Amino acid sequence: MIRDNLKYVQEQIKIHGAVANRAISDIKLIAVSKTKPLAMLQEAYDAGCRDFGENKVQELVDKMEQMPGDIRWHMIGHLQRNKVKYIVGKVFMIHSVDSLRLAEEINKESAKRECISNILVEINVAGEESKFGTSDLNENLNLLKNIAKLSNINICGLMTIAPFTENAESNRIYFKKLHDFAYNEAAAYLPNEPVLSMGMTGDYGVAIEEGATYIRVGTGIFGEREYTI
Ligand SMILES: *Cc1c(COP(=O)(O)O)cnc(C)c1O
């Protein structure tokens, strides 16, 4: 099942990439494996996945210890400062940096471990109250400017979580907004070809058309999640 799902997602990446005239190699798939058992991650690994996304520190670290060492782990969930020490130097990228205080903590731990941490600044493009980060342009520019001063942090790009919707097209404006912000106002603080982490199972096609370089797909690969409360 996972193998077939991956094949389908890869085909969609090609189709939507072609619509926007983009090189397929510029669009990377992160398999979001939160709540899923190791056996399923292994299945995705065996089918070729090397990028995995998790949203909880403990779960990420547990899985990392038990999975092959060549996986790039992405922390995509809200990160508390007191948990930074468990993942710095271990994860490939932290997608969810939404405050200067969090960035400073990551910087401090990175200096301690003599490493540079790859991060993305999370932008709440739609300004939803339920989400982290802000949609305020000046606030985001200030945040980028201040994080850019931290010597053990490498700002690779931007990340956003678009609103939950049944209609992917309605999120197009938000993806476009993140792309435009990255290439205009924020360009001074980002690499020339910044990472844009945007698009999930319901809307990654549209995100690709608007410039996503990382798409984060969970349900579309592993099936629905069951949460026990
Ligand atoms: C869970 C999650 C995803 C994947 O969501 P799906 O709709 O299952 O593809 C992507 N990004 C973040 C930040 C998530 O928490």
Side-chain angles (χ1 to χ4, degrees):
M1 174 198 91
I2 288 175
R3 197 172 278 272
D4 293 336
N5 289 345
L6 278 167
K7 208 180 260 175
Y8 176 79
V9 175
Q10 297 291 1
E11 276 163 22
Q12 293 300 308
I13 292 175
K14 276 191 201 142
I15 291 167
H16 291 279
V19 169
N21 240 322
R22 300 190 50 207
I24 302 306
S25 56
D26 290 345
I27 305 157
K28 298 199 173 69
L29 172 63
I30 298 175
V32 177
S33 48
K34 62 193 188 199
T35 79
K36 297 296 177 184
L38 285 173
M40 292 181 89
L41 277 72
Q42 188 63 47
E43 218 178 312
Y45 180 90
D46 292 339
C49 282
R50 291 297 179 272
D51 289 275
F52 286 81
E54 289 284 340
N55 69 340
K56 293 205 163 65
V57 166
Q58 184 68 54
E59 188 177 348
L60 188 157
V61 172
D62 285 348
K63 285 174 170 172
M64 179 187 285
E65 283 168 2
Q66 298 177 73
M67 290 292 291
D70 62 341
I71 290 174
R72 290 176 291 269
W73 293 94
H74 299 258
M75 175 58 192
I76 61 172
H78 184 63
L79 179 58
Q80 288 168 305
R81 278 179 298 142
N82 60 358
K83 301 216 171 133
V84 163
K85 57 179 176 286
Y86 300 116
I87 62 166
V88 161
K90 294 185 179 176
V91 296
F92 177 71
M93 195 174 280
I94 301 172
H95 289 230
S96 40
V97 178
D98 58 358
S99 73
L100 182 57
R101 287 174 80 200
L102 174 61
E104 283 170 343
E105 185 66 27
I106 295 169
N107 187 59
K108 194 182 89 191
E109 282 298 324
S110 305
K112 225 190 255 178
R113 275 153 228 261
E114 300 182 357
C115 69
I116 308 271
S117 288
N118 291 325
I119 66 118
L120 303 177
V121 172
E122 179 170 355
I123 309 253
N124 184 356
V125 263
E128 289 178 289
E129 273 184 27
S130 58
K131 302 235 161 90
F132 292 98
T134 172
S135 61
D136 187 282
L137 197 118
N138 286 324
E139 254 180 75
N140 280 319
L141 278 177
N142 243 327
L143 181 59
L144 281 161
K145 188 165 124 191
N146 285 312
I147 296 177
K149 292 177 192 158
L150 305 174
S151 51
N152 288 68
I153 282 189
N154 178 27
I155 309 178
C156 301
L158 306 176
M159 178 269 216
T160 197
I161 305 173
F164 178 76
T165 173
E166 300 278 308
N167 171 23
E169 277 301 326
S170 66
N171 278 342
R172 187 180 291 276
I173 48 165
Y174 300 121
F175 299 139
K176 190 171 172 1
K177 221 168 151 179
L178 193 76
H179 176 275
D180 290 350
F181 181 61
Y183 279 86
N184 294 294
E185 295 94 336
Y189 309 110
L190 299 175
N192 283 339
E193 309 246 323
V195 168
L196 295 178
S197 170
M198 56 187 197
M200 312 182 5
T201 297
D203 55 21
Y204 66 83
V206 173
I208 289 169
E209 291 176 16
E210 297 302 331
T213 69
Y214 272 128
I215 56 171
R216 309 178 306 265
V217 181
T219 313
I221 295 172
F222 298 106
E224 295 288 340
R225 285 177 295 274
E226 282 174 41
Y227 289 99
T228 44
I229 298 159

Coordinates of all heavy atoms in Angstrom, one line a residue, residues 75-159:
M75 N 12.2 18.0 11.8 CA 11.3 18.4 12.9 C 10.3 19.4 12.4 O 10.6 20.5 12.0 CB 12.1 19.0 14.1 CG 11.2 19.5 15.2 SD 10.1 18.2 15.9 CE 9.0 19.2 16.9
I76 N 9.0 19.0 12.2 CA 8.0 19.9 11.6 C 7.0 20.4 12.6 O 6.2 21.3 12.2 CB 7.3 19.2 10.4 CG1 6.5 17.9 10.9 CG2 8.3 18.7 9.3 CD1 5.6 17.3 9.9
G77 N 7.0 19.9 13.8 CA 6.0 20.4 14.8 C 6.5 21.5 15.7 O 7.7 21.8 15.7
H78 N 5.6 22.1 16.4 CA 5.9 23.1 17.3 C 7.0 22.6 18.3 O 6.8 21.5 18.9 CB 4.7 23.6 18.1 CG 4.9 24.7 19.0 ND1 5.3 26.0 18.5 CD2 4.9 24.9 20.3 CE1 5.5 26.8 19.6 NE2 5.2 26.1 20.7
L79 N 8.0 23.4 18.5 CA 9.1 23.0 19.3 C 9.2 23.8 20.6 O 9.3 25.1 20.5 CB 10.4 23.1 18.5 CG 11.7 22.7 19.1 CD1 11.7 21.2 19.6 CD2 12.9 22.8 18.1
Q80 N 9.3 23.2 21.7 CA 9.4 23.9 23.0 C 10.9 24.1 23.3 O 11.7 23.2 23.0 CB 8.8 23.1 24.1 CG 7.3 23.2 24.1 CD 6.7 22.2 25.0 OE1 7.0 21.0 25.0 NE2 5.8 22.6 25.9
R81 N 11.3 25.2 23.9 CA 12.7 25.5 24.1 C 13.4 24.4 24.9 O 14.5 24.1 24.7 CB 12.8 26.9 24.7 CG 12.8 28.0 23.6 CD 12.9 29.3 24.3 NE 11.8 29.6 25.2 CZ 11.9 30.2 26.4 NH1 13.0 30.6 26.8 NH2 10.8 30.3 27.1
N82 N 12.7 23.9 25.9 CA 13.3 22.9 26.8 C 13.6 21.6 26.1 O 14.2 20.7 26.7 CB 12.5 22.7 28.1 CG 11.1 22.2 27.9 OD1 10.7 22.0 26.7 ND2 10.4 22.0 28.9
K83 N 13.1 21.4 24.9 CA 13.3 20.1 24.2 C 14.3 20.3 23.1 O 14.7 19.3 22.4 CB 12.0 19.6 23.6 CG 11.0 19.4 24.7 CD 10.1 18.2 24.4 CE 9.2 17.9 25.6 NZ 7.8 17.7 25.3
V84 N 14.8 21.5 22.8 CA 15.7 21.8 21.8 C 17.0 20.9 21.9 O 17.5 20.3 20.9 CB 16.1 23.3 21.7 CG1 17.4 23.5 20.9 CG2 15.0 24.1 21.2
K85 N 17.5 20.7 23.1 CA 18.7 20.0 23.4 C 18.7 18.5 22.9 O 19.7 17.9 22.6 CB 19.1 20.0 24.8 CG 18.1 19.5 25.8 CD 18.6 19.6 27.2 CE 17.6 19.2 28.3 NZ 16.5 20.2 28.5
Y86 N 17.5 18.0 22.8 CA 17.3 16.6 22.4 C 17.5 16.4 20.9 O 17.7 15.2 20.4 CB 16.0 16.0 22.9 CG 15.8 16.0 24.3 CD1 14.8 16.8 24.9 CD2 16.7 15.3 25.2 CE1 14.6 16.9 26.3 CE2 16.5 15.4 26.6 CZ 15.5 16.2 27.1 OH 15.4 16.2 28.5
I87 N 17.3 17.4 20.1 CA 17.4 17.2 18.7 C 18.5 17.9 17.9 O 18.8 17.6 16.8 CB 16.0 17.5 18.0 CG1 15.6 19.0 18.2 CG2 14.9 16.6 18.5 CD1 14.5 19.4 17.3
V88 N 19.1 19.0 18.6 CA 20.1 19.7 17.9 C 21.3 18.8 17.6 O 21.7 18.0 18.4 CB 20.6 20.9 18.7 CG1 22.0 21.4 18.3 CG2 19.6 22.0 18.6
G89 N 21.8 18.9 16.4 CA 22.9 18.0 16.0 C 22.5 16.6 15.5 O 23.3 15.8 15.0
K90 N 21.2 16.4 15.6 CA 20.7 15.1 15.2 C 19.7 15.2 14.0 O 19.8 14.4 13.1 CB 19.9 14.4 16.3 CG 20.8 14.0 17.5 CD 19.9 13.3 18.5 CE 20.7 12.9 19.7 NZ 19.9 12.2 20.7
V91 N 18.9 16.2 14.0 CA 17.9 16.3 12.9 C 18.6 17.1 11.7 O 19.5 17.9 11.9 CB 16.6 17.1 13.3 CG1 15.9 16.3 14.3 CG2 16.9 18.5 13.8
F92 N 18.1 16.8 10.5 CA 18.6 17.5 9.3 C 18.1 18.9 9.3 O 18.8 19.9 8.8 CB 18.1 16.7 8.1 CG 18.5 17.4 6.8 CD1 19.9 17.4 6.4 CD2 17.6 17.9 6.0 CE1 20.3 17.9 5.2 CE2 18.0 18.5 4.8 CZ 19.3 18.5 4.4
M93 N 16.8 19.1 9.7 CA 16.3 20.5 9.6 C 15.1 20.7 10.6 O 14.4 19.8 10.8 CB 15.8 20.7 8.1 CG 15.5 22.2 7.8 SD 15.0 22.4 6.0 CE 16.6 22.3 5.3
I94 N 15.1 21.9 11.1 CA 13.9 22.2 12.0 C 13.1 23.2 11.2 O 13.5 24.3 10.9 CB 14.4 22.9 13.3 CG1 15.3 21.9 14.1 CG2 13.2 23.3 14.2 CD1 16.0 22.5 15.3
H95 N 11.8 22.8 10.9 CA 11.0 23.6 10.0 C 10.2 24.7 10.8 O 9.5 25.5 10.2 CB 9.9 22.7 9.3 CG 10.5 21.8 8.3 ND1 10.0 21.7 7.0 CD2 11.6 21.0 8.3 CE1 10.7 20.9 6.3 NE2 11.6 20.4 7.0
S96 N 10.1 24.5 12.1 CA 9.1 25.3 12.9 C 9.6 26.3 13.8 O 9.2 26.4 14.9 CB 8.3 24.2 13.7 OG 9.2 23.2 14.2
V97 N 10.6 27.1 13.3 CA 11.1 28.2 14.2 C 10.3 29.4 14.0 O 10.2 30.0 13.0 CB 12.6 28.5 13.8 CG1 13.1 29.6 14.7 CG2 13.5 27.2 13.9
D98 N 9.6 29.7 15.1 CA 8.5 30.8 15.1 C 8.8 31.9 16.0 O 8.0 32.8 16.2 CB 7.1 30.2 15.3 CG 7.1 29.5 16.7 OD1 8.1 29.4 17.4 OD2 6.0 29.0 17.1
S99 N 10.0 31.9 16.7 CA 10.3 33.0 17.6 C 11.8 33.2 17.8 O 12.5 32.2 17.6 CB 9.7 32.8 19.0 OG 10.4 31.8 19.7
L100 N 12.2 34.4 18.2 CA 13.6 34.6 18.4 C 14.1 33.8 19.6 O 15.2 33.3 19.5 CB 13.9 36.1 18.6 CG 15.3 36.5 18.7 CD1 16.2 36.1 17.5 CD2 15.5 38.0 18.9
R101 N 13.3 33.7 20.6 CA 13.7 33.0 21.8 C 14.0 31.5 21.4 O 15.0 30.9 21.9 CB 12.6 33.0 22.9 CG 12.6 34.4 23.5 CD 11.4 34.5 24.4 NE 11.7 33.9 25.7 CZ 10.7 33.5 26.6 NH1 9.5 33.6 26.3 NH2 11.1 33.0 27.7
L102 N 13.2 30.9 20.6 CA 13.5 29.5 20.2 C 14.7 29.5 19.4 O 15.6 28.6 19.6 CB 12.3 29.0 19.4 CG 12.4 27.6 18.8 CD1 12.7 26.5 19.8 CD2 11.2 27.2 17.9
A103 N 14.9 30.4 18.5 CA 16.1 30.4 17.6 C 17.4 30.6 18.5 O 18.4 29.9 18.2 CB 16.0 31.5 16.6
E104 N 17.3 31.4 19.5 CA 18.4 31.6 20.4 C 18.8 30.4 21.1 O 20.0 30.1 21.3 CB 18.1 32.8 21.4 CG 18.3 34.1 20.7 CD 17.8 35.3 21.5 OE1 17.0 35.1 22.5 OE2 18.1 36.5 21.2
E105 N 17.8 29.6 21.5 CA 18.0 28.4 22.2 C 18.7 27.3 21.3 O 19.6 26.7 21.6 CB 16.7 27.8 22.8 CG 16.8 26.6 23.6 CD 17.6 26.8 24.9 OE1 17.6 27.9 25.4 OE2 18.2 25.8 25.4
I106 N 18.2 27.3 20.0 CA 18.8 26.4 19.0 C 20.3 26.8 18.8 O 21.1 26.0 18.7 CB 18.0 26.4 17.7 CG1 16.6 25.8 18.0 CG2 18.7 25.6 16.6 CD1 15.6 26.1 16.8
N107 N 20.5 28.1 18.7 CA 21.8 28.6 18.5 C 22.8 28.2 19.6 O 23.9 27.8 19.4 CB 21.8 30.1 18.3 CG 23.1 30.7 17.9 OD1 23.6 30.4 16.8 ND2 23.6 31.6 18.7
K108 N 22.3 28.4 20.8 CA 23.1 28.1 22.0 C 23.5 26.6 22.1 O 24.6 26.3 22.3 CB 22.3 28.5 23.3 CG 23.1 28.5 24.6 CD 22.2 28.8 25.8 CE 21.7 27.5 26.4 NZ 20.6 27.7 27.4
E109 N 22.5 25.7 21.8 CA 22.8 24.3 21.8 C 23.7 23.9 20.7 O 24.5 23.0 20.8 CB 21.4 23.5 21.7 CG 20.7 23.4 23.0 CD 21.4 22.7 24.2 OE1 22.2 21.7 23.9 OE2 21.3 23.1 25.3
S110 N 23.5 24.6 19.6 CA 24.3 24.2 18.4 C 25.8 24.6 18.7 O 26.7 23.9 18.3 CB 23.8 25.0 17.1 OG 22.5 24.7 16.9
A111 N 26.0 25.8 19.3 CA 27.3 26.2 19.6 C 28.0 25.2 20.6 O 29.1 24.9 20.4 CB 27.3 27.6 20.3
K112 N 27.2 24.8 21.6 CA 27.7 23.8 22.5 C 28.2 22.5 21.8 O 29.2 21.9 22.2 CB 26.5 23.4 23.5 CG 26.9 23.4 24.9 CD 25.8 22.8 25.8 CE 25.1 23.9 26.5 NZ 23.9 23.3 27.3
R113 N 27.4 22.1 20.8 CA 27.8 20.9 20.1 C 28.6 21.1 18.9 O 28.9 20.2 18.1 CB 26.5 20.2 19.6 CG 25.8 19.3 20.7 CD 24.4 19.2 20.5 NE 23.7 19.5 21.8 CZ 23.3 18.5 22.5 NH1 23.3 17.3 22.2 NH2 22.7 18.8 23.7
E114 N 29.0 22.4 18.7 CA 29.9 22.7 17.6 C 29.3 22.3 16.3 O 30.0 21.7 15.5 CB 31.3 22.2 17.8 CG 32.0 22.7 19.1 CD 33.4 22.2 19.3 OE1 33.9 21.4 18.4 OE2 34.0 22.6 20.2
C115 N 28.0 22.6 16.1 CA 27.4 22.4 14.8 C 26.6 23.6 14.4 O 26.4 24.5 15.1 CB 26.5 21.1 14.9 SG 25.0 21.3 15.9
I116 N 26.2 23.6 13.1 CA 25.3 24.6 12.6 C 24.0 23.9 12.3 O 23.9 22.9 11.7 CB 25.9 25.1 11.2 CG1 27.3 25.6 11.3 CG2 25.0 26.2 10.7 CD1 27.6 27.0 11.8
S117 N 22.9 24.5 12.8 CA 21.6 23.9 12.6 C 20.9 24.6 11.4 O 20.8 25.8 11.3 CB 20.7 24.1 13.9 OG 21.2 23.2 14.9
N118 N 20.3 23.7 10.6 CA 19.5 24.2 9.4 C 18.1 24.4 9.9 O 17.5 23.5 10.5 CB 19.4 23.1 8.4 CG 20.7 22.9 7.7 OD1 21.5 23.8 7.4 ND2 21.0 21.6 7.3
I119 N 17.6 25.6 9.7 CA 16.2 25.9 10.2 C 15.4 26.6 9.1 O 16.0 27.2 8.1 CB 16.2 26.8 11.4 CG1 16.8 28.2 11.1 CG2 17.0 26.2 12.6 CD1 15.8 29.3 11.4
L120 N 14.1 26.5 9.2 CA 13.2 27.3 8.4 C 12.4 28.2 9.4 O 12.1 27.8 10.5 CB 12.2 26.4 7.7 CG 12.8 25.3 6.8 CD1 11.7 24.5 6.1 CD2 13.7 26.0 5.7
V121 N 12.1 29.4 9.0 CA 11.2 30.2 9.8 C 9.8 30.0 9.4 O 9.4 30.0 8.2 CB 11.6 31.7 9.6 CG1 10.6 32.6 10.3 CG2 13.0 32.0 10.2
E122 N 9.0 29.7 10.4 CA 7.6 29.4 10.2 C 6.8 30.7 10.1 O 6.8 31.5 10.9 CB 7.0 28.5 11.3 CG 5.6 28.1 11.1 CD 5.0 27.1 12.0 OE1 5.8 26.5 12.8 OE2 3.8 26.8 12.0
I123 N 6.0 30.8 9.0 CA 5.2 32.0 8.8 C 3.7 31.5 8.7 O 3.4 30.6 8.0 CB 5.6 32.6 7.4 CG1 7.1 32.8 7.3 CG2 4.8 33.9 7.2 CD1 7.7 34.2 7.5
N124 N 2.9 32.3 9.4 CA 1.5 32.0 9.5 C 0.8 32.8 8.4 O 0.2 33.8 8.7 CB 1.0 32.3 10.9 CG -0.4 32.0 11.2 OD1 -1.1 31.5 10.3 ND2 -0.9 32.2 12.4
V125 N 1.0 32.4 7.2 CA 0.5 33.2 6.1 C -0.9 33.6 6.1 O -1.3 34.7 5.7 CB 0.8 32.6 4.7 CG1 2.1 33.1 4.1 CG2 0.7 31.1 4.7
A126 N -1.8 32.7 6.6 CA -3.2 33.0 6.6 C -3.6 33.8 7.9 O -4.8 34.2 8.0 CB -4.0 31.8 6.4
G127 N -2.7 33.9 8.8 CA -3.0 34.6 10.1 C -4.0 33.9 10.9 O -4.8 34.5 11.6
E128 N -4.0 32.5 10.9 CA -4.9 31.8 11.7 C -4.5 31.8 13.2 O -3.3 31.5 13.5 CB -4.9 30.3 11.2 CG -5.6 30.1 9.9 CD -5.5 28.6 9.5 OE1 -4.4 28.2 9.2 OE2 -6.6 28.0 9.6
E129 N -5.4 32.0 14.0 CA -5.1 32.1 15.5 C -4.7 30.7 16.0 O -3.9 30.7 17.0 CB -6.4 32.5 16.3 CG -6.4 34.1 16.3 CD -7.5 34.6 17.1 OE1 -8.0 33.9 18.1 OE2 -8.0 35.7 16.9
S130 N -5.1 29.6 15.4 CA -4.8 28.3 15.9 C -3.4 27.9 15.6 O -2.9 26.9 16.1 CB -5.8 27.3 15.3 OG -5.7 27.3 13.9
K131 N -2.7 28.7 14.7 CA -1.4 28.3 14.3 C -0.3 29.1 14.9 O -0.5 30.2 15.4 CB -1.3 28.4 12.8 CG -2.4 27.5 12.1 CD -1.8 26.5 11.1 CE -2.8 25.4 10.8 NZ -3.7 25.7 9.7
F132 N 0.9 28.6 14.9 CA 2.1 29.3 15.4 C 2.7 30.2 14.3 O 2.4 30.1 13.1 CB 3.1 28.3 15.9 CG 2.7 27.6 17.1 CD1 2.2 26.3 17.0 CD2 2.7 28.2 18.3 CE1 1.7 25.6 18.1 CE2 2.3 27.5 19.5 CZ 1.8 26.2 19.3
G133 N 3.5 31.2 14.7 CA 4.0 32.2 13.8 C 3.1 33.3 13.6 O 1.9 33.3 14.1
T134 N 3.5 34.3 12.9 CA 2.7 35.5 12.6 C 2.6 35.7 11.1 O 3.4 35.3 10.4 CB 3.2 36.7 13.3 OG1 2.4 37.8 12.9 CG2 4.7 37.0 13.0
S135 N 1.5 36.5 10.7 CA 1.4 36.8 9.3 C 1.9 38.3 9.1 O 2.0 38.7 8.0 CB -0.1 36.7 8.9 OG -0.9 37.6 9.7
D136 N 2.2 38.9 10.2 CA 2.7 40.3 10.1 C 4.0 40.4 9.4 O 5.1 39.9 9.9 CB 2.8 40.9 11.5 CG 3.1 42.4 11.5 OD1 4.3 42.8 11.3 OD2 2.1 43.2 11.6
L137 N 4.0 41.1 8.3 CA 5.2 41.2 7.4 C 6.4 41.8 8.2 O 7.5 41.2 8.1 CB 4.9 42.0 6.2 CG 5.8 41.9 5.1 CD1 5.0 41.4 3.8 CD2 6.4 43.3 4.7
N138 N 6.2 42.8 8.9 CA 7.4 43.5 9.6 C 7.9 42.6 10.7 O 9.1 42.6 10.9 CB 7.0 44.9 10.1 CG 6.9 45.8 8.9 OD1 7.7 45.8 8.0 ND2 5.9 46.7 9.0
E139 N 7.0 42.0 11.4 CA 7.4 41.1 12.5 C 8.3 40.0 11.9 O 9.3 39.6 12.5 CB 6.2 40.5 13.2 CG 5.9 41.1 14.5 CD 4.7 40.5 15.2 OE1 4.8 39.3 15.7 OE2 3.6 41.1 15.2
N140 N 7.8 39.4 10.8 CA 8.6 38.3 10.2 C 9.9 38.8 9.7 O 10.9 38.1 9.8 CB 7.8 37.7 9.1 CG 6.7 36.7 9.6 OD1 7.0 36.0 10.6 ND2 5.5 36.7 9.1
L141 N 10.0 40.0 9.2 CA 11.3 40.5 8.7 C 12.2 40.7 9.8 O 13.4 40.4 9.8 CB 11.0 41.8 7.9 CG 10.6 41.7 6.5 CD1 10.4 43.0 5.8 CD2 11.7 40.9 5.7
N142 N 11.7 41.3 10.9 CA 12.5 41.5 12.1 C 13.0 40.2 12.7 O 14.2 40.1 13.1 CB 11.6 42.1 13.2 CG 12.1 43.5 13.6 OD1 13.3 43.7 13.5 ND2 11.2 44.4 13.9
L143 N 12.1 39.2 12.7 CA 12.5 37.8 13.2 C 13.7 37.3 12.3 O 14.7 36.8 12.8 CB 11.3 36.9 13.1 CG 11.5 35.5 13.6 CD1 12.0 35.5 15.1 CD2 10.2 34.7 13.5
L144 N 13.5 37.4 11.0 CA 14.6 36.9 10.1 C 15.9 37.6 10.3 O 16.9 37.0 10.4 CB 14.1 37.0 8.6 CG 13.1 36.0 8.1 CD1 12.4 36.5 6.9 CD2 13.9 34.7 7.8
K145 N 15.7 38.9 10.4 CA 16.9 39.8 10.6 C 17.7 39.4 11.9 O 18.9 39.3 11.8 CB 16.5 41.2 10.7 CG 17.6 42.3 10.7 CD 17.0 43.6 10.4 CE 17.3 44.6 11.5 NZ 16.6 45.9 11.4
N146 N 17.0 39.1 12.9 CA 17.6 38.8 14.2 C 18.2 37.4 14.2 O 19.2 37.1 14.8 CB 16.7 39.0 15.3 CG 16.5 40.5 15.6 OD1 17.5 41.2 15.7 ND2 15.3 41.0 15.7
I147 N 17.5 36.5 13.6 CA 18.0 35.1 13.5 C 19.2 35.0 12.6 O 20.1 34.3 12.9 CB 16.9 34.1 13.0 CG1 15.7 34.1 14.0 CG2 17.5 32.7 12.8 CD1 14.5 33.2 13.5
A148 N 19.2 35.9 11.6 CA 20.4 35.9 10.7 C 21.7 36.2 11.4 O 22.8 35.9 10.9 CB 20.1 36.8 9.5
K149 N 21.6 36.9 12.5 CA 22.8 37.3 13.3 C 23.3 36.1 14.1 O 24.5 36.2 14.6 CB 22.4 38.4 14.3 CG 22.1 39.7 13.6 CD 21.7 40.8 14.6 CE 21.0 42.0 14.0 NZ 20.2 42.7 15.0
L150 N 22.6 35.1 14.3 CA 23.0 34.0 15.1 C 24.0 33.1 14.3 O 23.6 32.6 13.3 CB 21.8 33.2 15.6 CG 20.8 34.0 16.4 CD1 19.5 33.2 16.7 CD2 21.4 34.6 17.6
S151 N 25.2 32.9 14.9 CA 26.2 32.3 14.0 C 26.1 30.8 13.9 O 26.7 30.2 13.0 CB 27.6 32.7 14.6 OG 27.6 32.4 16.0
N152 N 25.4 30.1 14.8 CA 25.3 28.6 14.6 C 24.0 28.2 14.0 O 23.5 27.1 14.2 CB 25.6 28.0 16.0 CG 27.0 28.1 16.3 OD1 27.5 29.1 16.6 ND2 27.7 26.9 16.3
I153 N 23.3 29.1 13.4 CA 22.1 28.8 12.7 C 22.2 29.2 11.2 O 22.7 30.2 10.8 CB 20.9 29.6 13.3 CG1 20.5 28.9 14.6 CG2 19.7 29.7 12.4 CD1 19.2 29.4 15.2
N154 N 21.7 28.3 10.4 CA 21.7 28.5 8.9 C 20.2 28.6 8.5 O 19.5 27.6 8.5 CB 22.4 27.3 8.2 CG 22.3 27.4 6.7 OD1 22.3 28.5 6.2 ND2 22.4 26.3 6.1
I155 N 19.7 29.8 8.2 CA 18.3 29.9 7.7 C 18.3 29.4 6.3 O 18.8 30.1 5.4 CB 17.9 31.4 7.8 CG1 18.1 32.1 9.1 CG2 16.4 31.5 7.4 CD1 17.7 33.5 9.2
C156 N 17.6 28.3 6.1 CA 17.5 27.7 4.7 C 16.3 28.2 3.9 O 16.3 28.1 2.7 CB 17.4 26.2 4.8 SG 18.8 25.5 5.7
G157 N 15.3 28.7 4.6 CA 14.1 29.2 3.9 C 12.9 29.4 4.9 O 13.1 29.6 6.1
L158 N 11.7 29.2 4.3 CA 10.5 29.4 5.0 C 9.6 28.2 5.0 O 9.6 27.4 4.1 CB 9.8 30.6 4.4 CG 10.6 31.9 4.3 CD1 9.7 33.0 3.6 CD2 11.0 32.5 5.6
M159 N 8.7 28.2 6.0 CA 7.8 27.1 6.1 C 6.4 27.7 6.4 O 6.3 28.7 7.1 CB 8.2 26.1 7.2 CG 7.2 24.9 7.4 SD 6.0 25.3 8.7 CE 5.9 23.7 9.5

